[in-house]
């Protein structure tokens, strides 16, 4: 599986460089997302702008990433999904589960806002 990883201070941008996210590639995507999380990153932007097709196993990989990054108070943001992929997400009603935005800038803003909100919560609890 071809992909790029851009590690920032607050988050990682993970960009699959593949047109299809299917059963052949999904296990690798799951593994890479879990590896990034295990490295200590809590926030991830998944740039789906190159992915033109996904199947149920592809969605399963996205769900694994979403669960892992949200589990410890982080955020998992999907950006730039192509039309077919977005249709599949909506049909599966996962548009209610995932944080989906159009651009990397919007994704970075979502992470910034999430960090502020979770920071406020920690101060209130502390």
């Amino acid at each position: 599986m071809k992909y790029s990883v851009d590690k920032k201070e607050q988050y990682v941008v993970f960009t699959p460089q593949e047109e299809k996210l299917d059963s052949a590639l999904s296990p690798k995507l799951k593994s890479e997302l879990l590896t990034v999380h295990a490295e200590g990153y809590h926030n991830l932007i998944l740039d789906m702008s190159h992915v033109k097709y996904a199947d149920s196993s592809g969605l399963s990989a996205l769900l694994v990433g979403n669960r892992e990054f949200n589990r410890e108070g982080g955020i998992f943001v999907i950006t730039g999904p192509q039309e077919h992929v977005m249709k599949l997400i909506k049909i599966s009603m996962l548009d209610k589960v995932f944080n989906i935005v159009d651009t990397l800038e919007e994704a970075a803003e979502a992470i910034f806002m999430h960090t502020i909100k979770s920071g406020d919560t920690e101060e209130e609890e502390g």
Side-chain angles (χ1 to χ4, degrees):
M1 175 180 179
K2 291 184 231 149
Y3 62 89
S4 66
V5 177
D6 185 9
K7 296 177 180 178
K8 309 279 189 188
E9 189 175 328
Q10 294 291 323
Y11 59 88
V12 173
V13 179
F14 189 96
T15 308
Q17 306 281 338
E18 302 280 353
E19 289 193 357
K20 290 185 175 183
L21 186 53
D22 54 18
S23 57
L25 294 178
S26 295
K28 181 69 173 162
L29 176 59
K30 284 181 192 176
S31 172
E32 293 302 327
L33 292 176
L34 293 173
T35 299
V36 169
H37 187 261
E39 289 174 357
Y41 289 94
H42 298 292
N43 305 313
L44 185 125
I45 297 172
L46 184 64
D47 180 355
M48 296 283 286
S49 58
H50 298 284
V51 180
K52 295 180 179 172
Y53 171 83
D55 64 10
S56 60
S57 63
L59 289 184
S60 173
L62 300 183
L63 282 167
V64 167
N66 191 56
R67 183 183 67 227
E68 281 302 305
F69 283 90
N70 287 324
R71 185 169 38 174
E72 296 169 7
I75 186 171
F76 181 84
V77 183
I78 297 171
T79 184
Q82 300 269 335
E83 184 180 356
H84 176 274
V85 176
M86 196 61 211
K87 278 184 185 174
L88 184 61
I89 289 171
K90 285 184 176 178
I91 289 169
S92 305
M93 298 180 72
L94 292 174
D95 54 325
K96 311 280 189 270
V97 175
F98 294 134
N99 290 301
I100 303 171
V101 298
D102 292 328
T103 66
L104 285 171
E105 291 77 19
E106 288 175 279
E109 180 72 15
I111 288 173
F112 180 70
M113 296 306 292
H114 177 81
T115 303
I116 289 173
K117 285 180 189 172
S118 59
D120 288 346
T121 305
E122 288 170 16
E123 287 174 17
E124 289 167 12
E125 290 172 359

